[in-house]
C-alpha cells in the first residue's frame, strides 16, 4: 500500500521541475534571422541549413530528371522484333 502512494508524488515532481528549467531561445533566433547579411532566410541557420538545402535541391533535380527520363522512354514506340 505504501508503494502506491509514492507514484503520484514522483510523477508530480517530474512534471513540475522539468518545465521550469527551459530557457526562451526565441529572441536569439529572431536576431539571427533578422540580420541583414544578404542570405535567404532558409540558409541563415548555418552549415546545417546549407547542407539540408543543397541535399533537398539535389534530390529534387535528380528526381525531376529521372521522371522526365521515364516519361520520354514511355512516349517512344516499342520496337517489335
Amino acid at each position: 500500500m505504501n508503494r502506491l502512494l509514492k507514484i503520484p508524488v514522483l510523477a508530480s515532481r517530474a512534471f513540475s521541475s522539468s518545465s521550469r528549467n527551459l530557457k526562451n531561445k526565441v529572441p536569439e533566433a529572431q536576431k539571427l534571422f533578422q540580420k541583414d547579411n544578404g542570405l535567404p532566410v532558409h540558409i541563415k541557420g548555418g552549415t546545417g541549413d546549407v547542407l539540408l538545402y543543397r541535399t533537398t535541391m539535389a534530390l529534387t533535380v535528380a528526381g525531376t530528371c529521372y521522371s522526365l527520363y521515364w516519361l520520354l522512354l514511355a512516349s517512344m514506340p516499342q520496337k517489335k522484333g
Side-chain angles (χ1 to χ4, degrees):
M1 184 72 178
N2 190 16
R3 182 176 163 184
L4 292 175
L5 295 175
K6 288 184 180 182
I7 292 175
V9 173
L10 291 175
S12 68
R13 284 186 199 160
F15 288 117
S16 66
S17 64
S18 64
S19 64
R20 293 185 185 156
N21 295 332
L22 298 176
K23 181 183 176 194
N24 187 6
K25 297 180 183 178
V26 173
E28 297 168 10
Q30 285 177 337
K31 287 178 187 175
L32 173 71
F33 287 106
Q34 290 177 355
K35 189 186 302 182
D36 187 19
N37 56 5
L39 292 174
V41 70
H42 55 274
I43 297 180
K44 284 189 179 184
T47 307
D49 283 353
V50 171
L51 288 173
L52 182 62
Y53 173 74
R54 289 185 180 168
T55 302
T56 303
M57 292 308 294
L59 288 172
T60 302
V61 169
T64 302
C65 292
Y66 188 68
S67 297
L68 290 174
Y69 168 75
W70 282 106
L71 186 63
L72 179 69
L73 198 68
S75 68
M76 298 288 183
Q78 293 182 354
K79 294 179 183 176
K80 296 184 179 184

